[in-house]
Amino acid sequence: MQENLLRWENDEYIDKDLKDILETMKSQPETLEDAFYKHLEFGTGGMRGELAPGTNRMNIYTVRRAAEGLALYIEDTYGEEKQKGIAVAYDSRHKSPEFAMETAKVMGAHGIPTFLFDALRPTPELSFAIRYLKAVGGVVITASHNPPEYNGFKVYNEDGGQIPPHQAKQIIEKVNKIENELTIPVIEKSRLEELELLQWIGGEVDQVYLEQLKGITQERATLANRQLSIVFTPLHGTAYDLVVKGLKQSGFEQIHIVEEQANPDPNFSTVESPNPEEHQAFTKAIELGSNVGADILIGTDPDADRLGVAAKDSEGDYKVLTGNQLGVLMLDYLLSHNQDIPENAMMIKTIVTSEMGRAVANYYGVNTLDTLTGFKFIGEKIREFEQLGEHQFVFGYEESYGYLIGDFARDKDAIQSSVFASEMAAYYKEKGLTLFEALEILYQTHGYYLEDLESMKLKGIEGAKKITEIMDSFREEPLRQAASLDVLAIEDYSARIRTHMKEGTTEAIDLPSSNVIKFILSDDCWVCLRPSGTEPKIKFYFGMRSSNKQTSEQRLEALKQDVMARVTQLTFETV
C-alpha cells in the first residue's frame, strides 16, 4: 500500500484534480488504505470501481493501465490486423467521455485505431458497432446500474460479445504485469486525429442498428401498437434516442416520456439507484402512467442493456415484473408467434434464472442451455452455435433484466427488448389481457414458479474476507435440508462437480470454473450463492415451484428464512 501511495505522491506530473483529492484523503486512513492497498482488479469482463485517486479506484491512470493491457493483448493476438482497430462507447457517468478518450490515447501509442462515438451511446450499440465495423474488439466506459460514484471499463471481443474467460485470462496477465500506471505512453487527441488513429462515429451506425431492429418484430406491427399507451424512462442514461426511434418505427404513437429523467445526468438525481431492478426507480414513471392511463411502463438502466417493465396487476395498480417474469413472457410470446421453429432451436439462460423458462421452451419443443451468470457466456454460445451449426439461437435472457432477441448484437439489449415487450403488451391488450393476466395463464399451464434474491453488501478488505468465509462455510458444511425440502444435489461450480446426494455419485459440470454453489432441492426448488463480480456483494438466489401460488409463496419465504438465518449468524461471527 505504502509503495503505491508514495509513487502517486512523488509524481510531479500527476493530474492536479486527483492530487488535490488525494490530499484530503490523508485525513481518512481507512479510505486511503483501501484506495492504495492493491490494483483495481481487472476481472473476467473488465473492471469497475469508485471514482477517486488510487490504484484501487477508477481514474485516468487505472484506465490507462487497463487499456495498455488490452493493447498488448491485441498486438499479440492480431498482429497486423490490429489496424482494424477497436470501437469505444461511453455512457452518462462522471468521467465517461474522459476515460473513453484515455483509452484511445493509449491505443494510439500502439498504432491501434479507435472508432469513438461522438456522443454517449447504449452498450448494445457498441456490441453492434464492433460487428458492423469489423473491429478486433471494443470498450464501453460504464458502470451499468451502479451508484453515481462508480464507473467502469468493459471489454468486448471481435464478435461483439463481452470477453469470455479464456480471452479475459490473457488480458488479465498483460494488465497485471504493468507495475506503474503513471508512466504508460499516450498520444494526445490532436495528434491521434492527424495520424487517423482516432475516427469519430456519428449517426451512420445508429441508422443501421435501427434497420436491424425492424427484424425483431417479424412485421407484426398492427393497429394494436398504435393504441398502446407507453411511458418510458431512460433513468438519466443513454437509451432515449434509440428507444423512441425504435418504438416509432414499429408503429407506436402514444409514447410518454418521464421528462425529469430524459436527459443524461451522472448523479441520477431523481432516483435512489438507476437500476430498473429496483422498483423505486419506477416512482416517477408510475406517477406519469397514472396521469395518462398508460398500459405499460418501460425503464432502461444508464447504459441501456437492462430493461424493466411495469404493468397493471389484478387490482389495477402498476407493478414491476421481475426479470424472470418478463423473460418467460417474452419467450412464450416469441415462440407462440413463430410458425417455423427450427428443430435445432436453443434457448439460453443462466444457472440463476428461473426454471420456468425451460418449461416454456420445452412446451414448444425448444431445448434449453444453461450458462454461468453473465451475458458474456450467452454471447459466447451464440458464436459457438454459428461456428458449429449444431444449434440455432432463438432467445437468451438472465434474471437480472437482460434479454436478447435478435443476435445482431451479442450482449443484452434493452433497446430491442423495449420494442419487443411493447409489441407483446399491445398484442395482449388486443386480447383484453394485461401482462400480469397473460403471466397467470402461463403459471396455470406450467406451474407457479417464484424466485427471489437477497444480497449482502460487505465493503472493503474485511468485507471481502467475510464473503470468502460465507462461501467456505457452505462448501465445508453444505445444506442437507432447507424449509423441509431435501437437498438432492450440490453443484459446486468452482470445482465444476455436481454431487447427487442420494446416490452418492458425482459428475463433471461442463462450464468454466466460477465461485458459485447451487443446491438443488426436492420439488423443483433450489438455492444458489454467488459473490458479485462487479460489486462488494454476495448474492443469494432462491427458486420455488408448486401447483398453486400460495404454496409457492409460503415455501419461498420459509426457504429464504432458513438460509439467511445461517448467513446472518456467519456474518455476526466474523465481525
Side-chain angles (χ1 to χ4, degrees):
M1 174 265 185
Q2 200 63 32
E3 181 182 344
N4 288 336
L5 176 58
L6 286 173
R7 187 154 39 80
W8 278 58
E9 287 182 324
N10 295 331
D11 192 303
E12 60 180 307
Y13 299 107
I14 202 163
D15 179 82
K16 183 181 182 304
D17 289 341
L18 291 175
K19 191 88 167 182
D20 291 343
I21 298 170
L22 184 56
E23 285 299 315
T24 66
M25 289 170 62
K26 290 180 181 178
S27 62
Q28 306 161 15
E30 288 186 8
T31 301
L32 195 67
E33 180 183 10
D34 192 58
F36 282 96
Y37 85 97
K38 67 173 183 176
H39 284 286
L40 184 60
E41 185 177 345
F42 191 102
T44 56
M47 65 181 190
R48 189 180 298 182
E50 294 182 45
L51 292 158
T55 55
N56 190 34
R57 294 290 186 266
M58 283 292 296
N59 50 68
I60 61 172
Y61 302 109
T62 53
V63 167
R64 286 179 182 178
R65 184 171 183 262
E68 177 74 2
L70 176 59
L72 292 170
Y73 165 79
I74 289 172
E75 287 183 325
D76 283 358
T77 305
Y78 297 100
E80 289 305 311
E81 286 199 337
K82 73 178 185 180
Q83 296 300 326
K84 292 182 178 180
I86 68 166
V88 176
Y90 59 90
D91 69 5
S92 57
R93 289 179 175 272
H94 291 291
K95 299 295 182 182
S96 283
E98 291 88 342
F99 291 168
M101 183 56 67
E102 292 297 332
T103 302
K105 287 159 67 172
V106 172
M107 291 293 155
H110 289 267
I112 300 170
T114 296
F115 299 92
L116 178 58
F117 279 99
D118 59 3
L120 76 177
R121 290 297 196 286
T123 287
E125 188 177 4
L126 182 277
S127 172
F128 173 77
I130 293 168
R131 297 172 58 79
Y132 175 69
L133 297 168
K134 296 181 171 56
V136 298
V139 171
V140 62
I141 305 298
T142 180
S144 188
H145 56 281
N146 282 74
E149 62 269 23
Y150 280 78
N151 212 328
F153 182 98
K154 194 185 236 182
V155 182
Y156 288 75
N157 63 20
E158 71 278 9
D159 191 52
Q162 296 179 47
I163 49 171
H166 70 277
Q167 289 180 313
K169 181 181 178 183
Q170 296 175 63
I171 299 171
I172 290 167
E173 288 174 355
K174 302 287 187 188
V175 173
N176 288 344
K177 287 180 181 178
I178 301 167
E179 296 181 357
N180 191 347
E181 65 284 343
L182 304 179
T183 59
I184 293 168
V186 296
I187 296 179
E188 292 305 315
K189 173 187 169 185
S190 58
R191 184 60 177 156
L192 288 175
E193 292 175 324
E194 287 176 19
L195 296 171
E196 297 186 347
L197 289 170
L198 175 59
Q199 300 183 40
W200 296 97
I201 305 175
E204 175 192 352
V205 174
D206 300 345
Q207 293 306 313
V208 181
Y209 175 89
L210 286 167
E211 282 298 314
Q212 292 289 324
L213 192 60
K214 292 177 181 178
I216 70 160
T217 62
Q218 299 180 11
E219 300 180 355
R220 289 193 293 265
T222 66
L223 180 63
N225 290 26
R226 294 193 291 276
Q227 294 175 339
L228 189 79
S229 179
I230 304 167
V231 163
F232 168 52
T233 173
L235 293 177
H236 302 294
T238 62
Y240 178 89
D241 191 53
L242 286 182
V243 167
V244 171
K245 288 179 178 177
L247 289 170
K248 286 183 176 179
Q249 76 177 12
S250 296
F252 296 99
E253 298 176 350
Q254 299 184 57
I255 307 169
H256 308 276
I257 308 298
V258 180
E259 295 296 340
E260 305 98 310
Q261 299 172 336
N263 293 324
D265 174 7
N267 294 316
F268 311 114
S269 53
T270 67
V271 291
E272 294 176 23
S273 169
N275 184 357
E277 294 181 71
E278 305 289 343
H279 293 189
Q280 56 78 27
F282 276 87
T283 299
K284 289 192 175 296
I286 291 172
E287 290 175 3
L288 179 57
S290 299
N291 290 337
V292 301
D295 300 298
I296 183 175
L297 319 178
I298 58 177
T300 53
D301 70 342
D303 70 324
D305 60 357
R306 298 171 192 253
L307 171 73
V309 169
K312 290 183 178 179
D313 62 11
S314 58
E315 297 179 359
D317 297 322
Y318 289 111
K319 182 178 178 182
V320 181
L321 290 152
T322 70
N324 284 311
Q325 291 171 335
L326 182 57
V328 295
L329 278 167
M330 292 170 72
L331 175 63
D332 180 79
Y333 178 71
L334 176 70
L335 296 180
S336 66
H337 285 79
N338 190 337
Q339 302 303 314
D340 190 25
I341 300 174
E343 291 185 3
N344 63 346
M346 184 75 78
M347 185 274 286
I348 311 176
K349 71 175 189 68
T350 71
I351 59 174
V352 296
T353 299
S354 173
E355 287 298 300
M356 190 172 181
R358 190 188 311 276
V360 170
N362 286 344
Y363 183 80
Y364 293 100
V366 173
N367 290 321
T368 297
L369 179 69
D370 286 304
T371 70
L372 292 176
T373 306
F375 223 89
K376 58 179 167 284
F377 297 109
I378 295 177
E380 184 181 27
K381 284 300 177 184
I382 297 171
R383 185 180 192 182
E384 183 181 301
F385 291 173
E386 286 183 343
Q387 291 172 340
L388 301 179
E390 295 177 358
H391 303 289
Q392 185 167 326
F393 170 79
V394 293
F395 186 72
Y397 79 113
E398 57 185 5
E399 50 76 37
S400 54
Y401 290 62
Y403 317 94
L404 186 65
I405 303 103
D407 62 4
F408 51 88
R410 294 297 164 90
D411 200 1
K412 52 186 177 287
D413 187 342
I415 314 299
Q416 288 188 29
S417 304
S418 294
V419 175
F420 193 79
S422 297
E423 181 192 286
M424 176 176 69
Y427 168 81
Y428 283 120
K429 180 180 180 181
E430 198 171 37
K431 302 290 184 185
L433 298 171
T434 67
L435 290 181
F436 278 101
E437 289 169 335
L439 182 64
E440 180 64 25
I441 293 171
L442 292 183
Y443 282 143
Q444 292 175 9
T445 303
H446 303 288
Y448 281 83
Y449 289 81
L450 298 182
E451 296 80 28
D452 207 347
L453 168 67
E454 295 281 344
S455 61
M456 186 175 290
K457 183 173 283 190
L458 297 164
K459 298 182 72 172
I461 302 170
E462 289 304 312
K465 288 180 182 177
K466 290 174 186 176
I467 290 172
T468 299
E469 288 169 358
I470 291 169
M471 294 298 291
D472 287 346
S473 173
F474 276 86
R475 283 194 170 98
E476 293 164 6
E477 297 181 32
L479 294 174
R480 301 291 178 178
Q481 193 178 66
S484 301
L485 298 166
D486 293 328
V487 175
L488 304 182
I490 301 173
E491 296 177 342
D492 188 337
Y493 289 86
S494 179
R496 301 172 68 195
I497 292 174
R498 180 182 296 107
T499 303
H500 297 277
M501 305 304 288
K502 185 176 181 180
E503 299 83 355
T505 58
T506 61
E507 62 180 310
I509 295 174
D510 187 22
L511 288 173
S513 178
S514 183
N515 187 18
V516 180
I517 311 167
K518 187 173 184 179
F519 298 92
I520 310 300
L521 310 175
S522 52
D523 295 348
D524 297 322
C525 305
W526 55 274
V527 178
C528 187
L529 287 70
R530 183 183 76 88
S532 172
T534 58
E535 300 175 82
K537 283 183 179 180
I538 180 169
K539 297 184 176 183
F540 307 89
Y541 302 82
F542 305 90
M544 184 63 58
R545 179 189 179 277
S546 75
S547 59
N548 67 81
K549 184 178 181 180
Q550 185 177 9
T551 301
S552 288
E553 288 176 338
Q554 291 171 347
R555 280 183 162 185
L556 182 63
E557 189 58 34
L559 181 59
K560 285 169 55 183
Q561 287 182 5
D562 262 17
V563 173
M564 295 312 296
R566 175 173 168 179
V567 172
T568 300
Q569 183 179 9
L570 286 168
T571 306
F572 178 76
E573 288 173 352
T574 58
V575 171

